[in-house]
Structure formats: structure tokens, C-alpha cells
Amino acid sequence: MILSSAVDDLAAEVRRLNGGQGLPVVFDGVGAHTFDASLASLRTRGHLVLFGAASGAVPPFDPIRLAHGGSLTLIRPSLGDFIADRSELLRRAADVFEWVRSKALEVTVTGRYALSEAAQAHSDLEARRTTGKLLVVPDTAAAADAGDNGQPRAAPVPEAGSRRTGWRTNL
């Protein structure tokens, strides 16, 4: 399940949508603004994967919160540790491309912007007017994909609780 961090009580909404239960794993790319709600959204022995800090770094916290939350675990992975050398990078990249080729991983592009509109793409991202993957393409390619008004086609932001994402895995 994917929820917007704009939901008033994220943990309560997670439990409502999940039959009163917390989740086994939460992937949090926002950081400071969602850390507490992400932690509160976990079930007993749940795992929080903190992979980003879009709203800033998570401030220091007392690890006893993990025990009090039900023997929770927290990990903060870093990409560099998973591509320690060139051979590992190439192997992992080959895996991803194979998943895309076999459709085990589907990439959904929800919007295209002409290179001359790159500033608008950034503005739309910052204002959360987009979801999924966006492409910035040469102006000639974008013109072919433009909507009736000449503007790039971008998917609307899904409602809170939507399962729509830019990546879907069938692994």
C-alpha cells in the first residue's frame, strides 16, 4: 500500500486499510516528516527501511522505541554499499534490466517534459503535482508526446491510499 504523507494520521490510515493491523515492512523515503508515523505503522517485529531524507534527516532517537513498538528493526541502506566495485554494479544493473525485459519489473512513465521545460518539471516535482517516473526529453521528442494544449502529458497525483506507483514489481 502506498499513502501520501499528507494524510492526517498516517499510522491510523495504514491500520484502517490493513484490517486493523500494522505492516510487516515500511519503506520511507521522506525522512524527518514521516519517521514517527512510519514507525507507528509497523506490526510487531516489523521492519522500517529508511532510504531517503526528502524532508530532512531523522533526528536522533532512543532505540528503546524499537523495543516498545514490538521488537521493530530499522535499517538505513546506502547505494554505495551495494555496488562496492564495478563488477557488482554491472551485475546488479544487468539484474534490473533483465527484470524490466522479462516484465518482472514494470517501469511506468507518467509524464514527459521537453528539455526546454526542465524547470517546469522540477517545479511540478517540488509541488507534488506528479507521481511515477518523469522523463525530460529533447524538445522534438516531447512535441510528439504533447497534449492538445502543447503541454507535456503528466499523470494526475493519485488519491491517498492509491496503489499506483512509478515502479511495480512482480518478483
Side-chain angles (χ1 to χ4, degrees):
M1 108 181 30
I2 296 175
L3 295 172
S4 167
S5 60
V7 171
D8 287 334
D9 186 342
L10 188 61
E13 184 66 1
V14 163
R15 291 176 190 284
R16 183 187 72 75
L17 293 170
N18 199 39
Q21 302 297 309
L23 299 172
V25 180
V26 171
F27 295 89
D28 186 336
V30 177
H33 290 164
T34 56
F35 178 76
D36 289 329
S38 292
L39 211 54
S41 297
L42 293 168
R43 72 178 186 199
T44 299
R45 294 185 309 273
H47 309 284
L48 175 55
V49 181
L50 187 63
F51 68 92
S55 68
V58 172
F61 75 100
D62 187 348
I64 197 70
R65 288 179 62 191
L66 300 174
H68 290 167
S71 298
L72 307 175
T73 61
L74 168 68
I75 185 171
R76 179 53 172 97
S78 176
L79 178 61
D81 295 323
F82 292 89
I83 53 170
D85 57 40
R86 181 152 177 80
S87 65
E88 187 174 18
L89 168 65
L90 293 175
R91 180 178 54 79
R92 292 186 184 279
D95 287 346
V96 171
F97 287 123
E98 175 55 27
W99 296 336
V100 171
R101 188 200 62 73
S102 70
K103 300 198 183 313
L105 179 66
E106 296 179 31
V107 180
T108 303
V109 176
T110 59
R112 292 173 181 260
Y113 291 80
L115 183 57
S116 61
E117 297 294 325
Q120 183 64 50
H122 282 275
S123 176
D124 288 347
L125 283 169
E126 290 169 5
R128 298 178 137 191
R129 289 188 291 262
T130 66
T131 63
K133 307 298 170 225
L134 304 180
L135 297 180
V136 176
V137 298
D139 289 344
T140 54
D145 289 335
D148 296 334
N149 62 1
Q151 294 299 310
R153 295 180 189 177
V157 175
E159 296 298 315
S162 169
R163 297 180 62 85
R164 181 168 174 211
T165 67
W167 294 97
R168 185 173 81 226
T169 181
N170 299 316
L171 295 175

